[in-house]
Amino acid sequence: MADVNPFYLGTFIVYLLIVLAIGVWGYTKTTDVMDFWAFGQNMGPWLATWSFVANFVSAVSVIGFIGAVYGEGYALMTHTIFGLMLGTSALYFAVDRVRNLDLLTFPDIIADVTGYDAARPIAGTVLLGNGWLYLVMQLVGASLLVTAITGVPYEYMVWVIGIVFIAYTVLGGLISVAWTDFLQGTVMVAAVLLALGFMLFDLGGFTSINQQFGALDSSYVNPTAGGAYTALGIVATIVAFFGTIFTEQNNIVRIAATKDVRTAKLHLAASGVILSVFYSALVILGGATTVALDAGGLSIETQDGAFPTLITEYVPDEVGIILILAVMSAILSTTDTRLHSTGITTARDIYSYFRPESGDDSQLKVSRLATIVFGITATAAAVNPPGTIIELYNFRAVLLTSAFLLPVYMGLYWAGLSGKAILASIVTGAILGVGTELTGGLFGVPSTFIGVGSALLVLLLGSVLLSGSEPKGGAMAGD
C-alpha cells in the first residue's frame, strides 16, 4: 500500500458518512412507492435544478473528460460537450409535451406512443443495459481517485464505494438521491471553479495555459484535434450525445418528479446555464492539468489517471481536498441516479408488466431488490473494467441514441406512424448501432449514423406497410 494522506482519507470518510446520513433521513420520508420513484411528483425548481446538474456531471465529466483533454486536447468541446449542451437546450422545447403526458418513465412514453404496453419491457431492457454500463463507469472513476489518494488497493476500494452508494439509494429512493444531489451539485460546481482559479493563478492565467498547451502539441488547441476527427465523425458524435439527453431514463423521471410544467421548464433552463459554465471551466482545467503534469515531469499510465495524479502529486493538500470533494460529488451524484433508475425500470417497466396485479408495496420491494442486484453486479464488473471511462461513455451514447431518439420522438409528434414499426425501429437501431460500434463502424460510416439511419428506415417503411392495420403511434400528438 502507498503512503496514506490523512487529510484526503479523512475527507473521504466524512463525505461518505454525510451522504449515508442523508440516505437514512430520506428513508424516514419515503412512505410509498411514488416517493421512492418520483419524490411524490412534488419537486420544486431549486431542488430539481441542482439535482439535474449533479446527475448530469459524473466520473465521465470530471475524470473522463479531463483525461480526454489530456489525450486529445480541446476538441472534446467541439463534439461531445456541444452535443450534450445542444440536447439540453432542445429538451427545454419538448419538456412541456413530455410533462403534460403525466407519465413516469421513458418506457411509459414509448408505450403511449406505440399503443403497445409490451414496449415497456422491451425499452426497459435497453435502458437497464445503459444504466448498468453507467454504474460501472462511475465506480471505476471513484475507485481510481480514492485508490490514488488513500493507497488502498483498487479492488477493495471499488467495493467500499459500491456498498455505500447502494445503501443510501436503497434507503430513500429519489428523496435521498435528490437531496444528496443538491449537496453534491453545489459543492461540485463551486469546487471546480475554485480549483480552476488556483490553476490559472499558478500557471500564469488562461493565455499562458493555452500557449503552453499548444506548445506541447499544436493539435491540442485545434477544435478538430488537428484533423484526427472527420467532419462526419464530429457530426456523428454530436448526434449521439444530443440523443442521450432525450433518452436517459433518469432525465424523464426527473421531469415527471417536478410538480408542474413551469417547474420542469425552469429547471432545464437553469441547469443549461450552470452546465455550460461548468463544462467550459472543466475543459480549461483539463488543459491546465496537462500543462502542470508536463511541467512537473509527472507521467501516468492511462489518461483516466491524469486528474487523480494532479491531485496527489501536484496541488497542495488544501486544494487537493477541494478537488476530491468535486470529484466525489460528481461521481456519487450520478451513480445514485443511475442506480435509482435501474430500480424503477425493473419494477415499473418490466415487473409490473408481467405482474399487473402487483401492488405498490410489492413494486417498492422489487425496486429496492433490483437496486441492490444491479449495484453489486456493476461493482463486481468495475473490479476489472472493460475499457476506459470515455470509451464506455461513448458506447452507451450510441446505444441510447440509435435505439430511441427518432422512433420515440417522431412517434410523439407524428400521429401517423405505426406502433409496430416504432418497436421494430427501436430494436433495429439498438442492434445495429451497438453492433457496428463494437466493430468500429461499417464502410467508414460512424456507428451512430448506421444505428439512427437503420432505425429511421425501418420506421418509415414499416409505417407505410402497416398503415391502418394496428394502433397508431403518437396518441398524444394532437392534444
Side-chain angles (χ1 to χ4, degrees), residues 19-101:
V19 295
L20 277 173
I22 294 175
V24 172
W25 173 82
Y27 180 78
T28 67
K29 301 297 182 180
T30 303
T31 58
D32 56 34
V33 73
M34 284 303 293
D35 287 339
F36 188 89
W37 283 349
F39 207 89
Q41 293 192 294
N42 195 39
M43 194 181 295
W46 188 245
L47 183 59
T49 295
W50 282 104
S51 182
F52 186 92
V53 168
N55 142 66
F56 202 100
V57 180
S58 62
V60 177
S61 300
V62 180
I63 294 180
F65 282 5
I66 286 179
V69 173
Y70 178 91
E72 63 183 42
Y74 292 147
L76 181 78
M77 182 69 83
T78 307
H79 44 79
T80 302
I81 293 178
F82 181 72
L84 291 170
M85 294 300 96
L86 189 65
T88 303
S89 301
L91 184 58
Y92 173 85
F93 296 100
V95 71
D96 54 343
R97 173 65 61 85
V98 174
R99 184 63 181 86
N100 278 326
L101 291 174

Side-chain angles (χ1 to χ4, degrees), residues 306-387:
F307 201 44
T309 301
L310 180 82
I311 296 172
T312 57
E313 303 293 336
Y314 185 84
V315 302
D317 286 352
E318 295 81 3
V319 178
I321 289 174
I322 292 173
L323 292 175
I324 290 167
L325 289 174
V327 178
M328 291 306 299
S329 294
I331 291 169
L332 288 183
S333 62
T334 307
T335 305
D336 57 27
T337 296
R338 266 46 180 208
L339 186 58
H340 170 261
S341 293
T342 63
I344 187 174
T345 301
T346 302
R348 169 79 177 186
D349 300 318
I350 298 177
Y351 175 76
S352 69
Y353 173 79
F354 292 104
R355 296 287 299 275
E357 76 284 357
S358 61
D360 286 355
D361 290 344
S362 176
Q363 292 184 36
L364 180 57
K365 289 178 182 177
V366 171
S367 286
R368 284 184 161 137
L369 179 61
T371 299
I372 294 171
V373 170
F374 278 96
I376 290 175
T377 56
T379 303
V383 173
N384 186 23

Side-chain angles (χ1 to χ4, degrees), residues 127-372:
L127 290 170
L128 285 177
N130 164 71
W132 188 83
L133 278 174
Y134 221 114
L135 291 175
V136 174
M137 289 187 295
Q138 302 312 303
L139 285 162
V140 170
S143 303
L144 281 171
L145 172 70
V146 181
T147 292
I149 66 176
T150 65
V152 177
Y154 173 86
E155 58 270 23
Y156 299 139
M157 189 51 65
V158 167
W159 286 104
V160 170
I161 296 173
I163 289 170
V164 169
F165 84 78
I166 291 169
Y168 79 78
T169 305
V170 166
L171 286 170
L174 192 57
I175 292 178
S176 294
V177 168
W179 281 107
T180 54
D181 283 354
F182 178 81
L183 167 67
Q184 292 168 152
T186 52
V187 168
M188 174 183 64
V189 172
V192 165
L193 293 177
L194 287 171
L196 177 60
F198 170 83
M199 295 301 291
L200 289 171
F201 177 80
D202 185 66
L203 297 174
F206 174 70
T207 301
S208 175
I209 290 172
N210 225 23
Q211 290 173 343
Q212 295 178 70
F213 195 40
L216 294 176
D217 188 331
S218 61
S219 69
Y220 285 168
V221 293
N222 188 311
T224 60
Y229 289 90
T230 64
L232 189 64
I234 291 172
V235 173
T237 305
I238 291 172
V239 171
F241 287 99
F242 173 93
T244 63
I245 305 303
F246 285 82
T247 55
E248 285 274 18
Q249 175 83 307
N250 49 280
N251 288 345
I252 302 301
V253 169
R254 270 173 168 68
I255 290 171
T258 55
K259 60 184 180 181
D260 51 35
V261 172
R262 179 179 178 276
T263 301
K265 293 180 74 71
L266 181 61
H267 97 282
L268 278 176
S271 298
V273 173
I274 295 170
L275 288 168
S276 296
V277 173
F278 178 84
Y279 278 119
S280 298
L282 200 65
V283 168
I284 298 170
L285 186 57
T289 297
T290 307
V291 170
L293 294 184
D294 178 75
L298 300 170
S299 61
I300 59 173
E301 293 184 6
T302 68
Q303 65 184 37
D304 284 343
F307 201 44
T309 301
L310 180 82
I311 296 172
T312 57
E313 303 293 336
Y314 185 84
V315 302
D317 286 352
E318 295 81 3
V319 178
I321 289 174
I322 292 173
L323 292 175
I324 290 167
L325 289 174
V327 178
M328 291 306 299
S329 294
I331 291 169
L332 288 183
S333 62
T334 307
T335 305
D336 57 27
T337 296
R338 266 46 180 208
L339 186 58
H340 170 261
S341 293
T342 63
I344 187 174
T345 301
T346 302
R348 169 79 177 186
D349 300 318
I350 298 177
Y351 175 76
S352 69
Y353 173 79
F354 292 104
R355 296 287 299 275
E357 76 284 357
S358 61
D360 286 355
D361 290 344
S362 176
Q363 292 184 36
L364 180 57
K365 289 178 182 177
V366 171
S367 286
R368 284 184 161 137
L369 179 61
T371 299
I372 294 171

Side-chain angles (χ1 to χ4, degrees), residues 406-407 410 417-418 421-422 425 454-463:
L406 291 185
M410 285 181 68
L417 294 177
S418 158
I422 292 173
S425 176
S454 61
L456 178 61
L457 184 63
V458 170
L459 179 63
L460 296 179
L461 287 178
S463 293

Side-chain angles (χ1 to χ4, degrees), residues 397-430:
V398 172
L399 169 64
L400 284 183
T401 300
S402 297
F404 294 128
L405 180 60
L406 291 185
V408 177
Y409 285 91
M410 285 181 68
L412 188 62
Y413 284 91
W414 186 357
L417 294 177
S418 158
K420 286 182 180 178
I422 292 173
L423 291 178
S425 176
I426 289 171
V427 174
T428 302

